[in-house]
Amino acid sequence: MTQRAENIYTLEGKRVWVAGHRGMVGSAICRRLEQENIGELLTVTRQQVDLSRQDQVETWMADTRPEAVFVPAAKVGGILANSTYPADFLYENLAIASNIIHAAHKTGVEKLLFLGSSCIYPKLAPQPIPEDALLTGPLEPTNEWYAIAKIAGIKLCQAYRQQHGADFISAMPTNLYGPFDNFDLKSSHVIPALIRKAHAAKQNNDKSMIMWGTGTPMREFLHADDCADALVFLMKTYSGDQHINVGSGTDETIEALTRMVMEVVGFGGELVKDTSKPDGTPRKLMSADRLREMGWSPNISLKDGLAGAYQWFLDNHSDA
Ligand code: GFB
C-alpha cells in the first residue's frame, strides 16, 4: 500500500479563504473543510467583491488577512461557451488569477492553492498526460483562451515562489461534476447537459435524445467532492513548483457516458448524434501517478456520482 505523504502544513486554527465558494468546486471545498478544524472560513460574494477588479481584491484581502487561500474562482463553461466567448474566458480568468495571487503575496498569505484544468495540456499530448507535458505543443482550439489564462496562473504561482519564496501551489483537475453544477444547456459541461436532456426526454416520453458531436471523444471525470478532498490533501502535504494532476485515472467515450446517464435517469429511448456540434479534443486522460504516489485516490465511482448528481438536479431544479 502507498504511504500517505506527511502533513507539512496545517489548516488547524487558520483563516481560510475559499475564493469562488458558490461554485461547484468552491462549495465542495467548503463542505470538506468542515472536517479540518480551521479557525475561520472566509467567503465573499461577487456583489461584495468583483474578483476581476484589482483594487477590490486588494482591499478585501488587506482587511480580512487570510492565512490560507484556495482559488477555484474562475469563469468556467463547456465546449460551446468556451469557443463562443474567447475574450471573456481569457480576460476574466487572467484578471482573477493575477489579482488574487499578487494580493496574496502582498498580504503575506502562508499558502495558496490555484486551480487549473486538464485543458492546459497540448491537444495531442501523450496519454495518460504527465504533468511535464505542459507547453510541449499546440492547444485544443475550442478552449485555448481558458487554457492560456490557467497556464498563466500556474506560472504566476511558480514566479512568486521563485522570486519571493511564496508557498503557492497549483492543481489541475480533470472534467468535474457534482452538486451545484451548471445545468444550463448552452453553457454547461457534458454531464449536467446530458442529465437535463435525458430527464426532459423521459418526462416528455420522447423517442430520442440528442448528444453533441460524434460520441467518440474520450473524457475523464471526477466528482467534485473527490476533487475537494484531493485539494485539501495537497494543501496539507505538498509544496513545490510543479502543478499536480487531480483525476480519476480512467476515461470513457462520450457515447458510453451518455448511455450511462440514460440508464441512471431511466430514459430508454434512442440516442441521436448532432455532428454539427464540436467534439473538442479527442482525449485528455491525465496521469494520476503523482497524486497516487503521495497516497491519495478517489472514492466515488462514476456510476454512484452520476446517480447523486441526478438526485441533486431533481432536488434543486424546480423547473426539472
Ligand atoms: O464537457 P464539455 O462541454 O467540454 O464537452 P470539454 C465534452 C464532450 O462532450 C465534447 C460532448 O466532445 C462534447 O461535444 N457533448 C455531448 C456535450 N453532448 C453534449 C452536451 O449536451 N453538452 C456539452 N457541453 N457537451 C471543456 C473546456 O472541454 O472542459 C473547458 O471547454 C474546461 O475549458 C472543461 O477545460 C473541463 O471537455 O470538451
Side-chain angles (χ1 to χ4, degrees), residues 29 33 45 99 101 122-123 126 136 139 160-161 176 178 189 191 200 211 214 222 226 271 281 291 306:
I29 296 171
L33 286 174
T45 64
N99 291 343
I101 292 168
K123 179 183 173 102
T136 55
L139 298 164
Y160 281 79
R161 173 177 292 275
L176 303 171
H189 288 105
I191 287 183
M211 176 192 74
T214 59
L222 185 73
D226 269 337
L271 185 56
T281 200
L291 200 49
L306 289 176

Side-chain angles (χ1 to χ4, degrees), residues 154-199:
I154 299 173
K155 290 290 164 194
L156 277 167
C157 289
Q158 290 176 351
Y160 281 79
R161 173 177 292 275
Q162 200 171 309
Q163 188 179 332
H164 301 293
D167 195 357
F168 296 171
I169 60 173
S170 306
M172 297 303 117
T174 187
N175 290 41
L176 303 171
Y177 69 99
F180 298 94
D181 209 342
N182 166 20
F183 284 84
D184 170 65
L185 292 182
K186 287 202 191 80
S187 57
S188 76
H189 288 105
V190 61
I191 287 183
L194 291 175
I195 288 177
R196 178 174 278 265
K197 290 198 279 194
H199 177 73

Side-chain angles (χ1 to χ4, degrees), residues 31-65:
R31 288 194 298 279
R32 176 61 184 75
L33 286 174
E34 287 168 16
Q35 300 165 34
E36 291 297 319
N37 204 17
I38 64 170
E40 188 181 354
L41 177 64
L42 302 170
T43 56
V44 66
T45 64
R46 189 176 305 216
Q47 289 68 38
Q48 294 166 298
V49 174
D50 177 348
L51 298 176
S52 67
R53 309 302 310 173
Q54 186 180 31
D55 55 337
Q56 295 185 27
V57 174
E58 292 196 345
T59 303
W60 192 78
M61 287 186 77
D63 288 348
T64 54
R65 296 262 156 199

Side-chain angles (χ1 to χ4, degrees), residues 84-274:
T84 314
Y85 305 107
D88 294 358
F89 276 82
L90 180 56
Y91 171 73
E92 286 185 38
N93 288 310
L94 278 174
I96 292 169
S98 51
N99 291 343
I100 296 179
I101 292 168
H102 184 64
H105 161 61
K106 275 179 70 172
T107 57
V109 166
E110 294 171 356
K111 187 134 194 185
L112 176 144
L113 190 157
F114 175 75
L115 264 88
S117 154
S118 57
C119 70
I120 59 160
Y121 291 113
K123 179 183 173 102
L124 300 175
Q127 311 281 326
I129 314 172
E131 281 85 353
D132 60 12
L134 184 66
L135 294 173
T136 55
L139 298 164
E140 153 62 33
T142 53
N143 56 36
E144 67 176 311
W145 317 98
Y146 180 74
I148 292 278
K150 289 297 180 183
I151 293 170
I154 299 173
K155 290 290 164 194
L156 277 167
C157 289
Q158 290 176 351
Y160 281 79
R161 173 177 292 275
Q162 200 171 309
Q163 188 179 332
H164 301 293
D167 195 357
F168 296 171
I169 60 173
S170 306
M172 297 303 117
T174 187
N175 290 41
L176 303 171
Y177 69 99
F180 298 94
D181 209 342
N182 166 20
F183 284 84
D184 170 65
L185 292 182
K186 287 202 191 80
S187 57
S188 76
H189 288 105
V190 61
I191 287 183
L194 291 175
I195 288 177
R196 178 174 278 265
K197 290 198 279 194
H199 177 73
K202 180 172 113 175
Q203 296 290 90
N204 302 333
N205 285 319
D206 291 341
K207 287 206 173 62
S208 62
M209 69 169 266
I210 292 174
M211 176 192 74
W212 292 359
T214 59
T216 57
M218 300 194 72
R219 292 290 184 274
E220 176 187 7
F221 298 101
L222 185 73
H223 193 279
D225 285 336
D226 269 337
C227 178
D229 190 58
L231 300 176
V232 170
F233 172 77
L234 284 172
M235 191 67 138
K236 296 196 297 187
T237 62
Y238 179 70
S239 175
D241 211 35
Q242 175 82 275
H243 59 280
I244 304 288
N245 291 343
V246 177
S248 60
T250 54
D251 58 356
E252 306 284 337
T253 66
I254 292 299
E255 180 161 348
L257 170 79
T258 309
R259 296 198 186 279
M260 274 176 96
V261 171
M262 287 165 71
E263 198 185 317
V264 162
V265 170
F267 174 63
E270 268 174 58
L271 185 56
V272 174
K273 296 174 185 174
D274 175 1

